[in-house]
Amino acid sequence: MISNDNEKDLQQPQIVSIDDDYSIIRQFIDGDKSSFQILVKRHKEKVRNIIYITMNSSALVDDIAQDVFITVYKNLKYFRFESQFTTWLYRITVNRCKDYLRKMNVRRIFSPIEDGTEISEYSTPVEDNDISRIVMDAISKLPVKLRMPLILKDIEGFSYQEISESLNCEMGTVKSRIFRGREKLKEILQPLEKELMN
Amino acid sequence: MKKDLRNMELLSAYLDDELPQSEKIEVEKLLASSLDLQKQLEDLKKVKQLGNRVKRIPESPFFETRLMATIEGQKNESSKIKKWIPAASLAVVTIIIMVVLKFNPGLIDRMWEDQKVAIEGFYKENLQPVLVAANLSNEDIFNFAFNNELPLDNTRQQYLLLGYDDSGKEFFEIRNSDQKIKRQSYTEFITAMNLDAEQKEIVDSIIGSYSKALEGQVLVNEKNTIAINQNLWNFRKAIFADLLVASEKLNKAKFDRIVPAGITDDEKVVVVNTLEKLKNVSGDQYIFVTPDSIFADSYQFDSEDFEKEMRIIEEQVRINEEKVKEFTLNITYDSNFKKFAEENSSHSFKIVVDSNICRVDLPEHHILEVPIPEIAAIDPLIEQATNNIHFYAYKIPKIEKSESGIKIEYYNDDSVYSYVVDYNMLNMDSLSEANSGLDLYNLEKLKTVKPFDDSMLIQYQFDRDYYHKYYSDDEFKKEMEELQKELQQMSEELKNHKIRVKTQVTKSPKK
């Protein structure tokens, strides 16, 4: 069971007003390219974190994040101010992650299977305290369609509405997938239930 | 089961505080009545809280710096690529063209030929014989034979001039004339040959026989195309030769002055054969002068069809009682257009245009394509006759009175012989006696000889009243012989130093 103190320690999503993002984007469109740096500074950590947890690796985080922001830079002049900038940003982030995961899966098919800790279940009790790593590993075993809403909800604290827009799917689907993701995660972590959930 | 699943989803959403008020109340009612659901909610809460246990990735303070550097790098790369886009495009196009030409080597030629055929077809449409409209008279046809000129309209504002340059190559000119050309070469010829009315009729019929054949030789259309049959040069020679042969028959004495050597029987056979062929071979090779190009190509002008059409038109005109208005052809050409070929090029047409002349020089040996080899055989005959007509005309001396004396000048071949007789030393009595009709003190009445620039016959314009009052042609000849004797006498006297005569001989360009 997670203590209240620990909860307080966790970094909360930075609250940024829509107007702030909009005004910066307008500056950028008006030719002030340096304003883009402000947007990056404001949103980069959340983007990096989504990537980090989705990919379950820090190795590719900056590459993918850079890819995301370059895409934003190239397309920002077409931004229509009809939705939040973050919704658009996270949709790009999610899609980039999916792209990378797809590529990795393809590579895995064509590469020899190593003696595999990677595919082994958590059959033995985890002795280290790195609960974070265990949870991340467990999340990484979820199918992508369950993994993404779960990360956005339980780790990043998005509302269902935000998740629906970021993943471009219905609210009912989001609700269902979050529940199923939790159920699946619980199932994966069943062997470590005592250590993790008490 | 389905209901349980729905309840579990609701429970999960309840945990996230994402349910509408009604469902929230519903879930709370269920929770209140079900320990199992309460347990489920508790489990879900534990799983959800696991998310809070996940550590965030450490911040990357240099991320945006690296990102901006990458973006700048890509921009530079992009601009570098953009810089090479024109060259790369050109290279690609070149390669494509090379590949296409490699496998279709005749492609450009075919395209060129197609284009050429299309252009030629465009300009060849609806060509009509302009000389019909020009309503050629015998005088016009005679002028054509002797002076190389053909009027192109019945107002005589534009005419076609055929010629040969110094190297003997053919050229033609389309000239605008501000004034009507009033040549009387035919009349002069009849007079010079001393032909009576009956003989003139014979010559008329000879000239008239070419009138119809000439009709299809020059064609025009509304696209400002003028097509000139390459046979036209030969036609001119034919008319000329025909008239020579006729002249010999009609007045041998006069003819001998034009062609002293006469025409041999063999030459006559050649002339007759050539004339027969020329009359029967219309020739389908035309030179097309268009507003943007000149080309030689075959073209079939059907004179019978044209005559039929003309008859229909004439009938319509008659029925509608419309008056046929005076026809004026206005061939225009671009005066900005200078030349498109090297002067020395022997394979191209050379065109020179100024404000009122359009001259086209034909490529070397172009006319030889007309299949009448005998024409070359009568060339020397025609040349000799041409020169002698010119020579004959120039033998009439020019007499000028000046303060110091009388200047007598006559041409022989390419030289001008000039005699100046000093008044002080002149035996006036003998001259007056020899030339009783000549008023030596009013010599200004005699107009100077003014040869026409483009004429083979030199037209001399004495004061006509004076001339006709005192001289017939034979009398004039007699007078000239008398004058010659006088001059010989003066020459003798000169030798004896009785009078002083300055003589000079100057070379002048051959007219």
Side-chain angles (χ1 to χ4, degrees), chain B residues 153 155-159 174-182 328 330 333 354-357:
Chain B
D153 55 33
T155 59
R156 306 300 187 258
Q157 294 295 318
Q158 280 192 319
Y159 59 97
I174 300 162
R175 286 177 177 241
N176 284 328
S177 173
D178 294 335
Q179 296 177 335
K180 288 183 179 179
I181 303 162
K182 290 178 181 173
T328 304
N330 187 21
Y333 33 79
D354 73 6
S355 57
N356 63 354
I357 294 178

Short mmCIF file of all heavy atoms in Angstrom, two decimals, chain B residues 153 155-159 174-182 328 330 333 354-357:
data_model
loop_
_atom_site.label_atom_id
_atom_site.label_comp_id
_atom_site.label_asym_id
_atom_site.label_seq_id
_atom_site.Cartn_x
_atom_site.Cartn_y
_atom_site.Cartn_z
N ASP B 153 -1.15 41.95 -108.54
CA ASP B 153 -2.54 42.39 -108.38
C ASP B 153 -2.90 43.27 -109.56
O ASP B 153 -2.04 43.74 -110.29
CB ASP B 153 -2.75 43.12 -107.04
CG ASP B 153 -1.79 44.28 -106.88
OD1 ASP B 153 -1.45 44.91 -107.90
OD2 ASP B 153 -1.37 44.56 -105.75
N THR B 155 -4.02 46.19 -109.59
CA THR B 155 -3.70 47.62 -109.45
C THR B 155 -2.21 47.86 -109.63
O THR B 155 -1.75 48.99 -109.57
CB THR B 155 -4.12 48.14 -108.07
OG1 THR B 155 -3.43 47.37 -107.08
CG2 THR B 155 -5.61 48.00 -107.86
N ARG B 156 -1.48 46.78 -109.83
CA ARG B 156 -0.03 46.85 -110.08
C ARG B 156 0.71 47.54 -108.92
O ARG B 156 1.63 48.30 -109.13
CB ARG B 156 0.27 47.60 -111.39
CG ARG B 156 -0.46 47.02 -112.61
CD ARG B 156 -0.05 45.57 -112.82
NE ARG B 156 -0.58 45.03 -114.06
CZ ARG B 156 -1.64 44.22 -114.13
NH1 ARG B 156 -2.30 43.87 -113.03
NH2 ARG B 156 -2.04 43.75 -115.28
N GLN B 157 0.26 47.28 -107.71
CA GLN B 157 0.93 47.85 -106.55
C GLN B 157 2.05 46.92 -106.05
O GLN B 157 3.02 47.38 -105.47
CB GLN B 157 -0.07 48.06 -105.41
CG GLN B 157 -1.14 49.10 -105.70
CD GLN B 157 -0.58 50.49 -105.86
OE1 GLN B 157 0.30 50.89 -105.12
NE2 GLN B 157 -1.05 51.21 -106.86
N GLN B 158 1.87 45.62 -106.28
CA GLN B 158 2.90 44.68 -105.87
C GLN B 158 3.27 43.81 -107.05
O GLN B 158 2.40 43.45 -107.85
CB GLN B 158 2.39 43.80 -104.73
CG GLN B 158 2.43 44.48 -103.38
CD GLN B 158 2.22 43.51 -102.25
OE1 GLN B 158 1.36 42.63 -102.34
NE2 GLN B 158 2.96 43.67 -101.19
N TYR B 159 4.50 43.51 -107.17
CA TYR B 159 4.89 42.63 -108.25
C TYR B 159 6.05 41.74 -107.84
O TYR B 159 6.74 41.98 -106.85
CB TYR B 159 5.23 43.42 -109.52
CG TYR B 159 6.34 44.42 -109.38
CD1 TYR B 159 7.63 44.10 -109.76
CD2 TYR B 159 6.09 45.69 -108.90
CE1 TYR B 159 8.65 45.02 -109.64
CE2 TYR B 159 7.11 46.62 -108.77
CZ TYR B 159 8.39 46.28 -109.16
OH TYR B 159 9.40 47.19 -109.04
N ILE B 174 9.58 40.21 -103.88
CA ILE B 174 8.21 40.71 -103.91
C ILE B 174 8.34 42.19 -103.56
O ILE B 174 8.79 42.54 -102.47
CB ILE B 174 7.32 39.99 -102.89
CG1 ILE B 174 7.30 38.50 -103.20
CG2 ILE B 174 5.92 40.57 -102.91
CD1 ILE B 174 6.83 37.66 -102.05
N ARG B 175 7.98 43.02 -104.50
CA ARG B 175 8.21 44.45 -104.30
C ARG B 175 6.89 45.20 -104.18
O ARG B 175 5.93 44.89 -104.87
CB ARG B 175 8.97 45.03 -105.49
CG ARG B 175 10.44 44.67 -105.54
CD ARG B 175 11.07 45.24 -106.79
NE ARG B 175 12.50 44.96 -106.82
CZ ARG B 175 13.42 45.92 -106.84
NH1 ARG B 175 13.06 47.18 -106.85
NH2 ARG B 175 14.70 45.60 -106.86
N ASN B 176 6.92 46.18 -103.34
CA ASN B 176 5.80 47.13 -103.31
C ASN B 176 6.18 48.30 -104.19
O ASN B 176 7.32 48.78 -104.14
CB ASN B 176 5.58 47.64 -101.89
CG ASN B 176 4.88 46.60 -101.04
OD1 ASN B 176 4.09 45.82 -101.54
ND2 ASN B 176 5.21 46.58 -99.77
N SER B 177 5.27 48.74 -104.99
CA SER B 177 5.55 49.89 -105.82
C SER B 177 4.55 50.98 -105.48
O SER B 177 3.35 50.75 -105.44
CB SER B 177 5.42 49.50 -107.29
OG SER B 177 5.54 50.65 -108.08
N ASP B 178 5.07 52.16 -105.19
CA ASP B 178 4.17 53.26 -104.87
C ASP B 178 3.39 53.72 -106.10
O ASP B 178 2.29 54.22 -106.01
CB ASP B 178 4.96 54.44 -104.30
CG ASP B 178 5.57 54.06 -102.96
OD1 ASP B 178 5.01 53.15 -102.33
OD2 ASP B 178 6.60 54.64 -102.59
N GLN B 179 4.02 53.55 -107.23
CA GLN B 179 3.36 53.98 -108.47
C GLN B 179 3.17 52.76 -109.37
O GLN B 179 3.92 51.80 -109.29
CB GLN B 179 4.23 55.00 -109.18
CG GLN B 179 4.41 56.28 -108.38
CD GLN B 179 5.32 57.24 -109.09
OE1 GLN B 179 6.16 56.82 -109.91
NE2 GLN B 179 5.15 58.51 -108.81
N LYS B 180 2.18 52.88 -110.22
CA LYS B 180 1.97 51.80 -111.18
C LYS B 180 3.16 51.74 -112.13
O LYS B 180 3.68 52.76 -112.57
CB LYS B 180 0.70 52.06 -111.98
CG LYS B 180 -0.56 51.87 -111.17
CD LYS B 180 -1.76 52.06 -112.04
CE LYS B 180 -3.03 51.85 -111.23
NZ LYS B 180 -4.23 52.04 -112.03
N ILE B 181 3.53 50.52 -112.42
CA ILE B 181 4.64 50.37 -113.36
C ILE B 181 4.07 50.50 -114.78
O ILE B 181 3.16 49.78 -115.16
CB ILE B 181 5.29 48.99 -113.20
CG1 ILE B 181 5.75 48.82 -111.77
CG2 ILE B 181 6.44 48.80 -114.17
CD1 ILE B 181 6.00 47.39 -111.40
N LYS B 182 4.60 51.44 -115.49
CA LYS B 182 4.07 51.65 -116.85
C LYS B 182 5.14 51.29 -117.86
O LYS B 182 5.72 52.16 -118.52
CB LYS B 182 3.64 53.12 -117.02
CG LYS B 182 2.42 53.49 -116.21
CD LYS B 182 2.09 54.95 -116.39
CE LYS B 182 0.88 55.32 -115.55
NZ LYS B 182 0.63 56.78 -115.57
N THR B 328 -7.54 43.96 -104.75
CA THR B 328 -6.21 44.42 -104.36
C THR B 328 -5.60 43.39 -103.43
O THR B 328 -6.17 43.07 -102.40
CB THR B 328 -6.28 45.77 -103.63
OG1 THR B 328 -6.95 46.69 -104.47
CG2 THR B 328 -4.88 46.28 -103.31
N ASN B 330 -2.86 42.35 -100.87
CA ASN B 330 -1.94 43.02 -99.96
C ASN B 330 -1.13 41.97 -99.22
O ASN B 330 -1.52 41.47 -98.19
CB ASN B 330 -2.72 43.89 -98.98
CG ASN B 330 -1.80 44.72 -98.12
OD1 ASN B 330 -0.65 44.94 -98.51
ND2 ASN B 330 -2.28 45.17 -96.98
N TYR B 333 4.54 41.45 -94.97
CA TYR B 333 5.56 40.63 -94.33
C TYR B 333 6.19 41.44 -93.21
O TYR B 333 6.11 42.66 -93.17
CB TYR B 333 6.62 40.16 -95.32
CG TYR B 333 6.91 41.12 -96.43
CD1 TYR B 333 7.71 42.21 -96.21
CD2 TYR B 333 6.35 40.95 -97.69
CE1 TYR B 333 7.97 43.11 -97.22
CE2 TYR B 333 6.59 41.85 -98.70
CZ TYR B 333 7.41 42.93 -98.47
OH TYR B 333 7.66 43.82 -99.45
N ASP B 354 13.08 44.56 -96.43
CA ASP B 354 13.07 45.93 -95.92
C ASP B 354 11.65 46.46 -96.08
O ASP B 354 10.71 45.70 -96.20
CB ASP B 354 14.16 46.78 -96.59
CG ASP B 354 13.82 47.13 -98.02
OD1 ASP B 354 12.70 46.81 -98.45
OD2 ASP B 354 14.67 47.72 -98.69
N SER B 355 11.51 47.78 -96.04
CA SER B 355 10.16 48.33 -95.93
C SER B 355 9.26 47.96 -97.12
O SER B 355 8.06 47.82 -96.96
CB SER B 355 10.23 49.83 -95.77
OG SER B 355 10.94 50.37 -96.87
N ASN B 356 9.84 47.82 -98.32
CA ASN B 356 8.93 47.52 -99.44
C ASN B 356 9.44 46.42 -100.37
O ASN B 356 8.93 46.24 -101.46
CB ASN B 356 8.63 48.78 -100.25
CG ASN B 356 9.88 49.35 -100.87
OD1 ASN B 356 10.97 48.85 -100.60
ND2 ASN B 356 9.75 50.36 -101.69
N ILE B 357 10.47 45.71 -99.95
CA ILE B 357 10.96 44.59 -100.76
C ILE B 357 11.16 43.38 -99.88
O ILE B 357 11.66 43.49 -98.77
CB ILE B 357 12.31 44.93 -101.45
CG1 ILE B 357 12.11 46.05 -102.46
CG2 ILE B 357 12.86 43.70 -102.16
CD1 ILE B 357 13.38 46.48 -103.13
#
